[in-house]
Amino acid sequence: MPNPPYFSLVKKLSLILLVYLPLLVAAQIGGRHPYDFLNLSPSARISSLGGTNISTYDYDLNYALLNPALCNDSMHQTASFSVSNYLSDITYGYAGYSHTFENIGNFHTGIQFLSYGKMIEADVYGNQTGRFSASDLAIVVGGARQVDRFRIGTNLKLINSNVSRYRSHFALGMDLGGAYISDNGLFAAGMVFKNMGFNITKWETPDGVNTPLPFEIQIGVSQRLKHMPLRFSLTTTNLQTPKLIYYDKDAPPQVDLSGDTIKTKFPFFDNMFRHTVFGTEFLIAKGFNLRAGYTHMRRQELRSLNRGGLAGFSFGVGIKVKMFRFDYALSSFHAVGPTHQFTLATNVGSFKKRQ
């Protein structure tokens, strides 16, 4: 039986991954980097599929932010705006636009933002001196081209973080992405090296270490069924960090009823699934879709001790009304409550045609 057309791509991606992983092994990912807002989902559709997806190839320009290689002709003159009430008083969103230049390539640009709201300012003695606003912002420009049976693309990011009225930090970031789309369009695969770059202004830890950008390697696949209105996606995340489970080395040892020390066990399958994000789309009609996703790492880190609830699960719906597409997503964070995200998109060129 001959290998499917995407078999050679999978082998190449696996080889690249095996080469780079030993060079990039690190301990944990949480709290080690500034500008973590770059990893937030840019749209309600992506949030409902688990929060990340780098392999869906269609009209949605928000996928180009996660994998620049997915920017394509069907996104031409599309504009999109998303907003979400994240947690507490935090608000984030993304606004983007895509344009295709004939014989040159596909391009997109956008602004990713996050506002932490108003905070109390105080001196070293605890005396309140007023209130200030904190926010993060990234201006993104990206493009993609077709190369034989593959697509390649890159995103460039100018990143800014205002942590107080007196401190503002800047950085430059870049994403490199690749994608393969089968001839019938039912299967797609992608690979991304995200958030490579450096700080323009120093952002040091208390011990003087300059913190890096939140670099990440992702590989993903999407498969749409030929005779059923379903699309499944699987995205593997944080491949540069094999072990995602955190163990506090300074914590006192645990003992059983006999007084013997309990050895710390490393749950292999738990750790493996923390690298995965699952998503499903029910393409019920051209203008109506239902979506669901699951993120195991979010569930394990945010569930309560005795019950998990819906932590890690996400749900959404997409509706098209004439020239507008509306998407909604609900992502469960369990004890801290759910988040709601809304996206409105339209093709600007369709307005010109109607005039």
Side-chain angles (χ1 to χ4, degrees), residues 12-302:
K12 291 179 181 179
L13 293 179
S14 300
L15 178 60
I16 294 173
L17 178 63
L18 291 174
V19 170
Y20 277 93
L21 272 180
L23 303 178
L24 297 167
V25 171
Q28 308 299 329
I29 59 172
R32 296 175 58 113
H33 311 280
Y35 312 116
D36 273 328
F37 78 102
L38 296 172
N39 293 322
L40 294 176
S41 167
S43 73
R45 181 185 180 190
I46 296 172
S47 291
S48 64
L49 296 174
T52 186
N53 185 306
I54 62 168
S55 56
T56 296
Y57 184 79
D58 61 13
Y59 57 84
D60 192 340
L61 73 87
N62 294 289
Y63 283 95
L65 180 66
L66 300 185
N67 184 356
L70 298 177
C71 191
N72 63 80
D73 293 344
S74 65
M75 302 176 182
H76 179 54
Q77 294 186 328
T78 297
S80 176
F81 175 76
S82 301
V83 66
S84 172
N85 66 320
Y86 192 41
L87 300 171
S88 185
D89 296 328
I90 300 175
T91 301
Y92 81 90
Y94 178 72
Y97 175 78
S98 180
H99 198 95
T100 296
F101 295 93
E102 191 174 355
N103 299 323
I104 299 178
N106 310 106
F107 296 88
H108 73 100
T109 184
I111 297 177
Q112 191 173 11
F113 64 90
L114 184 145
S115 173
Y116 298 94
K118 292 289 185 178
M119 299 184 182
I120 298 175
E121 186 176 16
D123 58 24
V124 294
Y125 302 104
N127 300 314
Q128 296 185 11
T129 58
R131 300 177 69 88
F132 69 96
S133 298
S135 62
D136 293 322
L137 180 74
I139 300 174
V140 184
V141 177
R145 284 184 61 89
Q146 187 81 23
V147 179
D148 295 328
R149 298 173 62 87
F150 302 92
R151 295 187 64 80
I152 57 174
T154 184
N155 287 335
L156 299 177
K157 307 175 184 180
L158 176 61
I159 312 163
N160 171 246
S161 181
N162 291 290
V163 294
S164 73
R165 69 183 69 179
Y166 310 111
R167 298 182 63 186
S168 184
H169 300 275
F170 290 89
L172 284 177
M174 180 176 66
D175 305 329
L176 291 179
Y180 168 83
I181 296 86
S182 63
D183 291 337
N184 60 12
L186 298 179
F187 174 84
M191 182 175 186
V192 182
F193 293 82
K194 296 182 60 177
N195 301 322
M196 299 180 292
F198 57 90
N199 292 311
I200 298 176
T201 55
K202 287 186 178 181
W203 195 325
E204 297 181 343
T205 61
D207 54 358
V209 178
N210 195 26
T211 54
L213 271 64
F215 173 72
E216 184 179 354
I217 301 174
Q218 297 180 345
I219 294 179
V221 293
S222 294
Q223 177 69 57
R224 179 172 179 175
L225 302 185
K226 187 174 183 179
H227 301 293
M228 292 184 66
L230 291 174
R231 179 191 286 120
F232 299 98
S233 62
L234 168 65
T235 307
T236 55
T237 64
N238 294 299
L239 295 176
Q240 80 290 343
T241 308
K243 293 184 179 181
L244 294 178
I245 299 177
Y246 174 74
Y247 291 112
D248 188 357
K249 298 180 180 179
D250 298 325
Q254 295 182 337
V255 295
D256 57 22
L257 296 177
S258 302
D260 298 325
T261 301
I262 301 176
K263 295 183 179 180
T264 301
K265 296 182 179 180
F266 183 80
F268 174 80
F269 288 102
D270 179 18
N271 181 75
M272 182 182 70
F273 281 108
R274 289 182 186 228
H275 287 276
T276 57
V277 176
F278 301 93
T280 303
E281 286 190 276
F282 300 85
L283 311 173
I284 299 175
K286 188 175 181 180
F288 182 72
N289 299 331
L290 295 177
R291 301 157 185 145
Y294 175 70
T295 307
H296 187 68
M297 184 170 179
R298 181 189 298 169
R299 179 173 179 81
Q300 292 299 90
E301 293 190 344
L302 296 181

